[in-house]
Amino acid sequence: MDDDSAKYRDWFAEEARSERPDLALLCLLLATAGDPALDDAGIDAAQIELDRLAGLLPYGPKTPREWAGALADLLGRECGFHGTSGEYRRLGASLLHQVLERRRGLPILLSVVWVEVARRAGAPAYGVALPGHFVVGFGDPGAPGGPVLADPFAGGGPLTGNEAELLVMDATGAPLEPSMLTPASPLDVVLRILGNIRAWAAARPEQSAAALWAVEFSLLLPSHPARLRYEHAQLLVQRGDFLTGAAELEAYAEVVQPVEPATAEAVRGRARAARAMLN
């Protein structure tokens, strides 16, 4: 790992553990691993662009529905931010600075743009992690009738209750639950973005380096699924770092031993197999 990569990872870890993590900054710091050309100046430029867009919103207090409409008019209609099916094949669709440049991205990254522009303008906006499709909420999620929902992937158009229900039904086969409308924290959003990158890389064996850095950034978050340690170890072995991978497999086995002894023993077997590849 070069000095710049280490600097951005340390910065990411520090920001993730701060009292109020900056979502845009976290997204830009992880993007430095996906685009080595992204440097301090590029990070500043992306933040400035978010500030500029926020400055274009009409001034003055608004209802949640009016805020949603103002964001859709500016970002969706005037600026042309939206998604296409092809974005799911692009790593850049998960990198915030490229989404700002191309005005295309995955639902969650477009939602980050909406939320960050709205936050800078004082709007009550937040990410809503519906299963299978990330959207933006405006207003109090506990208010009668729930929040006003908008779908940035579709240009920011408002989502009716029935449309949100259909999105959830298509993804899970289950109905929309009120708990699904809870605002997503910045760290939850970042973990989901990194999960998308891991899934993208998993479908492309030649992209194991992307899978590795996505897991490593996930492990820098103060809270993450324990199984990511196993995934990290497997990737190290896959990429030929047998000793480090074996050591991490053994460490993961110690974690799961108290609750899943059979799984722990199987993982230790994989660690022995990894070490044997050096012979």
Side-chain angles (χ1 to χ4, degrees):
M1 185 186 304
D2 61 34
D3 290 344
D4 282 342
S5 296
K7 178 186 79 169
Y8 291 129
R9 291 190 185 208
D10 290 346
W11 190 358
F12 178 92
E14 180 182 359
E15 184 63 31
R17 286 163 173 75
S18 67
E19 185 176 349
R20 300 182 65 181
D22 184 316
L23 175 59
L25 178 57
L26 288 170
C27 290
L28 291 165
L29 290 171
L30 73 86
T32 61
D35 181 0
L38 180 61
D39 56 10
D40 289 13
I43 290 172
D44 288 343
Q47 295 275 32
I48 290 168
E49 175 64 4
L50 291 168
D51 292 341
R52 184 189 73 83
L53 291 169
L56 297 176
L57 284 168
Y59 179 75
K62 300 174 184 63
T63 66
R65 190 164 296 280
E66 288 169 341
W67 273 118
L71 266 293
D73 286 342
L74 172 65
L75 298 179
R77 295 186 183 89
E78 293 181 32
C79 296
F81 283 94
H82 65 82
T84 67
S85 59
E87 297 308 305
Y88 290 91
R89 299 189 292 272
R90 296 175 53 91
L91 175 60
S94 291
L95 306 180
L96 179 56
H97 68 298
Q98 293 192 16
V99 172
L100 285 168
E101 291 168 4
R102 296 179 55 250
R103 305 193 175 188
R104 301 286 183 274
L106 295 185
I108 191 168
L109 266 296
L110 291 167
S111 294
V112 168
V113 174
W114 251 251
V115 168
E116 286 298 299
V117 170
R119 180 179 65 81
R120 285 162 167 77
Y126 46 86
V128 177
L130 293 181
H133 196 85
F134 208 94
V135 298
V136 176
F138 293 85
D140 182 356
V148 175
L149 297 179
D151 182 5
F153 195 73
L159 279 175
T160 66
N162 286 341
E163 289 168 337
E165 183 91 27
L166 285 173
L167 281 176
V168 173
M169 287 289 291
D170 286 346
T172 68
L176 174 67
E177 300 289 342
S179 61
M180 296 175 183
L181 301 177
T182 302
S185 74
L187 298 186
D188 289 338
V189 175
V190 170
L191 185 61
R192 184 156 164 168
I193 289 170
L194 289 165
N196 287 342
I197 294 170
R198 287 163 41 227
W200 174 86
R204 298 164 174 81
E206 74 280 5
Q207 296 291 345
S208 64
L212 184 62
W213 66 253
V215 172
E216 290 176 343
F217 270 88
S218 300
L219 291 171
L220 293 174
L221 295 171
S223 178
H224 53 262
R227 189 169 174 81
L228 284 177
R229 295 176 64 180
Y230 175 76
E231 185 176 333
H232 185 234
Q234 289 284 81
L235 282 165
L236 289 171
V237 172
Q238 177 186 333
R239 290 175 57 79
D241 191 348
F242 303 120
L243 283 178
T244 308
E248 292 209 8
L249 285 168
E250 290 165 346
Y252 178 73
E254 291 301 312
V255 172
V256 300
Q257 174 68 38
V259 290
E260 298 181 41
T263 298
E265 186 53 37
V267 172
R268 290 190 184 97
R270 294 187 180 96
R272 290 191 293 270
R275 291 184 188 280
M277 296 181 78
L278 290 168
N279 296 333

